[in-house]
Amino acid sequence: MAAFAESEYRERIRRTKERMVAMGLDTLVVADPANMNYLTGYDGWSFYTPQCVVVALAEDDPLCIVRGMDRNGGLRTSFLPPDRVLGYPDGYVQASDRHPFDWIAADLKRRGLGRGRIGTEQDVYYFSPRAQVALERGLPDADFSDASLLVNWIRAVKSDAELAVMSEAARIAERSMAVAFAAIEPGVRQCDVAAKIYAAQIVGTEEFGGDYPAFVPLLPTGIGTSTPHLTWTDEPFAAETATILELAGCRHRYHCPMARSLYLGTPPEAIRATEGVVLEGLQAALDAARPGATCEEVEAAWRTVAARGGVTKESRIGYAVGLNYPPDWGEHTMSLRPGDRTVLEPNMTLHAILGIWRDDWGIEISECFKVAPNGAEPFCDFPRELFVKR
Amino acid sequence: MAAFAESEYRERIRRTKERMVAMGLDTLVVADPANMNYLTGYDGWSFYTPQCVVVALAEDDPLCIVRGMDRNGGLRTSFLPPDRVLGYPDGYVQASDRHPFDWIAADLKRRGLGRGRIGTEQDVYYFSPRAQVALERGLPDADFSDASLLVNWIRAVKSDAELAVMSEAARIAERSMAVAFAAIEPGVRQCDVAAKIYAAQIVGTEEFGGDYPAFVPLLPTGIGTSTPHLTWTDEPFAAETATILELAGCRHRYHCPMARSLYLGTPPEAIRATEGVVLEGLQAALDAARPGATCEEVEAAWRTVAARGGVTKESRIGYAVGLNYPPDWGEHTMSLRPGDRTVLEPNMTLHAILGIWRDDWGIEISECFKVAPNGAEPFCDFPRELFVKR
């Protein structure tokens, strides 16, 4: 069963077709698994083999095309009728002489969808250059356009049902962060803490379980805090070191991420000073995140505080967040950074993350929020500070 | 610190350059994170933004090019000297008007690597059509070839050091499967079992911790066993149903996967009969997996047993396995199926997985093994049967 009511998917498809008309597309081939899920409900760990959802102006329902063995998964999790879920033969998987998109192109041609203008997502994880070439060769009568982010932009504003699911994810994020703080002690192996965090993320609450987040829990410690994306090791946590925790709760593939930092011992003055700037700057950014503000204005609110506090940060301070699959919970649309003039709308959801990484230390504090009339409304209720354990 | 000795990486690079010469390549751009790790040791959850390792015949050491904030991660985990680890500016990340591979192309050009024949991996997860176009536009004096799987094929035969790491992964897989069997009971939520499996995978053993496997634990149950790649829900396990477990132990990104099936109650005759055929056919395939045999001969050994037992299976029965990142632990080189004439060599590592999926039930039993003189040597020591809990 799909996670939302069929009417929710139908509305998403209607808006997708609206944008297709505006872009002059007859057919849209969606290979991003988050977009496939968004349009049909299909949810499985099958994106390691090529697959797609096809939306055609000429047809009411999309097609969901997956590897043959995954067709039953499509029937069970999407709202689509059985004749709109197709499985390609297994011999196309990881073969040197053929590609699943050869089969998909031939199928689209048979359906009369091989003409006109076809949009493909040309900058997503699970649609390769060879997939694009296979479609172009198999459909020589069609013209192709890059339709990357067409569906992602529709995802930017969340419905009430989506916001409810993200609130559930927030409950899981809070519990998981509390578990992490309780577990980290000098002498405890990093992997043992990661295991406890993961278990908390997936157990969820008594009322609802957790889905797998699109990132593994990140818990860089000591000099590891100088960079954000290293994963855990077997080494123990040490006294008088900082640890950064970045993790999410996930529910029906919707994420609520949270970053916090922890110090075992007495934090050095440099970290404390940066913490103060980060907290003030984060609050300034959250206050600025009102409908009508641009992404770069939100970032500027942080930047003003940071400049006053002598803190520099080259990288963006946030991004759209919500529905996604590994390896990213971001939605790849707007970023909170100079030059991004996207205008915020009510019920857009973002992750504002102040990550400061120096040569041998770092700190991160973040909030996942929805855009509301008076500024950002964070999903989580969790103390916003550098945690200290002595 | 990289997971292996520098000499191991140097040998991998030497063999890569050998194949580049044979293919007529001057430069190779490797964007598959497993191949990046294989050649340099670099290991981080940073593959959600474009990155690559560049091997040039004209240069001794590869370049590792990542997002700026991940450069410290490259310094900490690869064997490369600091001047061979580059970080591109954050403004290139998920921007509409520029692409990280624009920056990478410009950098390669400055180094004199923008001429001759450049190989790119045109059918991997993390190298998009737009990345390919960015390289082609930025390096108009170069010719491009598809070098997909060039490095993957070198990975096929494992060194002693790699086999040792896969044996550690096997210990984790055995423990995780035992935890799963102990946890599954009627009335227990699927998510609670998934959480226990995940924790076991990451805790590892007292001697060594676990790395994150490239798949989440898969535990389809009841009618869910009719398809392999659905993930857990909040629903409880029910009496008189089957559950399939597919999971891996992972160590330094090397996987040892295992699939088993469990029945809560008294298994129906159809499942028991299929179990018998699967066990006999799996053993026949393992016995056939000797150096000199082809992949299709191994599959034929299964097929003979299956035909006699009246069991049909369209999909491949196995694939190369080892080092990888989400979303797949397979290496995308050889498959155990008709038409694959790859000749097995000693110390190749594969996952033979007999998955049978019918309309409303299924069963899976597998072994991860290395090719040895007398046939397959499984990494795991775990009873090979349909488990029954009453």
Side-chain angles (χ1 to χ4, degrees):
Chain A
M1 221 184 74
F4 297 101
E6 183 174 327
S7 55
E8 181 111 359
Y9 296 104
R10 296 238 171 252
E11 171 63 11
R12 296 169 178 183
I13 293 163
R14 189 192 65 72
R15 294 174 63 201
T16 299
K17 288 183 174 176
E18 217 169 67
R19 290 201 180 219
M20 287 169 61
V21 170
M23 255 190 85
L25 298 179
D26 299 288
T27 301
L28 175 66
V29 177
V30 167
D32 177 331
N35 290 338
M36 292 176 63
N37 176 316
Y38 187 73
L39 295 175
T40 71
Y42 176 57
D43 179 28
W45 190 287
S46 59
F47 42 93
Y48 74 99
T49 51
Q51 53 182 24
C52 62
V53 160
V54 179
V55 180
L57 293 185
E59 302 191 344
D60 282 343
D61 287 341
L63 288 165
C64 180
I65 311 179
V66 296
R67 184 182 182 186
M69 65 174 66
D70 296 315
R71 183 170 176 269
N72 279 343
L75 296 179
R76 285 179 48 74
T77 60
S78 82
F79 82 89
L80 296 171
D83 66 329
R84 304 300 287 178
V85 182
L86 313 180
Y88 59 78
D90 208 66
Y92 284 85
V93 171
Q94 295 164 11
S96 56
D97 59 342
R98 73 198 81 171
H99 193 278
F101 272 97
D102 294 337
W103 189 94
I104 292 168
D107 184 79
L108 295 183
K109 195 168 194 171
R110 267 194 305 277
R111 291 171 192 273
L113 298 177
R115 297 178 173 280
R117 184 161 291 278
I118 299 179
T120 57
E121 298 177 309
Q122 296 179 16
D123 203 24
V124 297
Y125 302 122
Y126 304 116
F127 186 75
S128 70
R130 193 168 158 205
Q132 174 70 24
V133 168
L135 274 184
E136 289 177 5
R137 286 198 187 140
L139 301 173
D141 298 333
D143 296 311
F144 285 86
S145 292
D146 185 0
S148 293
L149 302 184
L150 185 153
V151 178
N152 302 55
W153 276 110
I154 298 172
R155 283 160 48 196
V157 175
K158 304 298 185 287
S159 70
D160 289 345
E162 289 175 296
L163 292 171
V165 167
M166 287 182 73
S167 291
E168 292 181 341
R171 300 294 81 74
I172 299 173
E174 292 159 355
R175 287 179 178 226
S176 303
M177 190 63 82
V179 163
F181 283 158
I184 294 175
E185 296 281 355
V188 174
R189 296 189 307 177
Q190 296 172 30
C191 57
D192 293 332
V193 172
K196 286 184 180 172
I197 297 171
Y198 238 130
Q201 289 173 310
I202 294 172
V203 163
T205 74
E206 293 69 29
E207 292 75 39
F208 48 84
D211 205 344
Y212 57 89
F215 277 77
V216 292
L218 296 168
L219 52 161
T221 189
I223 194 172
T225 59
S226 64
T227 186
H229 299 124
L230 296 187
T231 49
W232 61 85
T233 71
D234 303 354
E235 293 301 306
F237 289 94
E240 299 305 332
T241 57
T243 298
I244 291 173
L245 289 147
E246 187 177 356
L247 54 83
C250 183
R251 178 81 178 140
H252 295 312
R253 310 300 326 127
Y254 284 78
H255 295 79
C256 178
M258 193 199 316
R260 289 290 185 275
S261 301
L262 169 74
Y263 200 89
L264 293 175
T266 305
E269 192 43 46
I271 295 185
R272 275 292 188 205
T274 304
E275 178 205 9
V277 176
V278 161
L279 290 178
E280 187 189 343
L282 176 55
Q283 187 58 55
L286 294 174
D287 291 341
R290 293 158 188 261
T294 63
C295 284
E296 67 177 2
E297 287 166 0
V298 174
E299 200 268 354
W302 143 260
R303 191 172 286 265
T304 302
V305 173
R308 203 164 55 220
V311 171
T312 56
K313 174 171 169 60
E314 185 229 356
S315 51
R316 64 180 182 177
I317 67 157
Y319 47 82
V321 72
L323 171 68
N324 220 337
Y325 284 85
D328 195 8
W329 52 49
E331 295 190 324
H332 298 194
T333 48
M334 61 202 107
S335 291
L336 301 177
R337 65 182 164 199
D340 192 325
R341 306 210 167 92
T342 308
V343 177
L344 295 182
E345 297 175 40
N347 296 338
M348 283 179 164
T349 51
L350 295 98
H351 185 211
I353 175 161
L354 273 300
I356 310 292
W357 305 284
R358 299 299 179 232
D359 280 349
D360 54 2
W361 63 275
I363 182 172
E364 292 180 27
I365 300 178
S366 82
E367 289 291 350
C368 178
F369 65 90
K370 73 167 181 177
V371 176
N374 295 317
E377 276 183 18
F379 284 101
C380 287
D381 178 13
F382 200 88
R384 205 188 296 161
E385 61 187 21
L386 173 68
F387 282 72
V388 174
K389 275 176 96 165
R390 288 206 172 77
Chain B
M1 221 185 76
F4 297 101
E6 183 175 327
S7 56
E8 181 111 359
Y9 297 104
R10 297 239 171 250
E11 171 63 11
R12 296 169 178 183
I13 293 163
R14 189 192 65 72
R15 294 173 64 201
T16 299
K17 289 183 174 176
E18 214 169 70
R19 289 199 181 220
M20 287 169 61
V21 169
M23 255 189 85
L25 298 179
D26 299 289
T27 301
L28 175 66
V29 177
V30 167
D32 177 331
N35 290 339
M36 291 176 63
N37 176 316
Y38 188 72
L39 295 175
T40 70
Y42 176 57
D43 179 28
W45 190 287
S46 58
F47 42 93
Y48 74 98
T49 51
Q51 53 180 26
C52 63
V53 160
V54 179
V55 181
L57 293 185
E59 301 190 344
D60 281 344
D61 287 341
L63 288 165
C64 180
I65 310 179
V66 295
R67 184 182 182 186
M69 66 174 66
D70 296 315
R71 182 169 176 268
N72 279 344
L75 296 179
R76 286 180 47 75
T77 60
S78 82
F79 82 89
L80 296 170
D83 66 328
R84 304 301 287 178
V85 182
L86 313 180
Y88 59 78
D90 208 66
Y92 284 86
V93 171
Q94 295 164 12
S96 56
D97 59 342
R98 73 198 81 171
H99 193 279
F101 271 98
D102 294 337
W103 189 94
I104 291 168
D107 184 80
L108 295 183
K109 195 169 194 172
R110 267 195 304 277
R111 291 170 191 274
L113 298 177
R115 298 178 172 279
R117 184 161 291 278
I118 299 179
T120 57
E121 298 178 309
Q122 296 179 15
D123 204 24
V124 297
Y125 302 122
Y126 304 116
F127 186 74
S128 71
R130 193 167 159 208
Q132 174 70 25
V133 167
L135 274 184
E136 289 177 4
R137 286 198 188 141
L139 301 173
D141 298 333
D143 297 311
F144 285 86
S145 293
D146 185 0
S148 292
L149 302 184
L150 185 153
V151 177
N152 302 55
W153 276 110
I154 298 172
R155 283 160 48 195
V157 175
K158 304 298 186 285
S159 71
D160 289 344
E162 289 175 295
L163 292 171
V165 167
M166 287 183 73
S167 291
E168 292 181 340
R171 300 294 80 73
I172 299 173
E174 292 158 355
R175 287 178 178 226
S176 303
M177 190 63 82
V179 163
F181 283 158
I184 294 174
E185 297 281 355
V188 174
R189 296 189 307 177
Q190 295 172 30
C191 56
D192 292 332
V193 172
K196 286 185 179 171
I197 297 171
Y198 238 130
Q201 288 173 309
I202 294 172
V203 163
T205 74
E206 293 68 29
E207 293 75 38
F208 48 84
D211 206 344
Y212 57 90
F215 277 77
V216 292
L218 295 168
L219 52 162
T221 189
I223 194 173
T225 58
S226 64
T227 186
H229 299 125
L230 296 187
T231 49
W232 60 86
T233 71
D234 302 354
E235 294 301 306
F237 289 94
E240 299 305 332
T241 57
T243 299
I244 291 173
L245 289 147
E246 186 176 357
L247 55 83
C250 183
R251 179 79 178 141
H252 295 313
R253 309 300 327 129
Y254 283 78
H255 294 79
C256 178
M258 192 198 318
R260 289 291 185 275
S261 302
L262 169 74
Y263 200 89
L264 293 176
T266 305
E269 191 43 47
I271 295 184
R272 275 293 189 204
T274 304
E275 178 205 8
V277 176
V278 161
L279 290 178
E280 187 189 342
L282 176 56
Q283 187 59 54
L286 294 174
D287 291 342
R290 293 159 189 261
T294 63
C295 284
E296 67 176 3
E297 287 166 359
V298 174
E299 200 268 356
W302 143 260
R303 192 172 284 266
T304 303
V305 173
R308 203 164 56 221
V311 171
T312 56
K313 175 172 168 59
E314 184 229 357
S315 50
R316 64 181 182 175
I317 67 157
Y319 47 81
V321 72
L323 171 69
N324 219 337
Y325 284 84
D328 195 9
W329 52 49
E331 295 189 324
H332 298 193
T333 48
M334 60 202 107
S335 291
L336 301 177
R337 65 182 164 200
D340 192 325
R341 306 212 167 90
T342 307
V343 177
L344 295 182
E345 297 175 40
N347 296 338
M348 283 179 165
T349 52
L350 295 98
H351 185 211
I353 174 162
L354 273 302
I356 310 292
W357 305 284
R358 298 300 180 232
D359 280 349
D360 54 2
W361 63 276
I363 182 173
E364 292 181 27
I365 300 179
S366 81
E367 290 291 350
C368 178
F369 65 90
K370 72 168 182 177
V371 176
N374 295 317
E377 277 183 18
F379 283 101
C380 287
D381 178 12
F382 200 88
R384 204 188 297 161
E385 62 188 20
L386 173 68
F387 282 72
V388 174
K389 275 176 97 166
R390 288 206 172 76

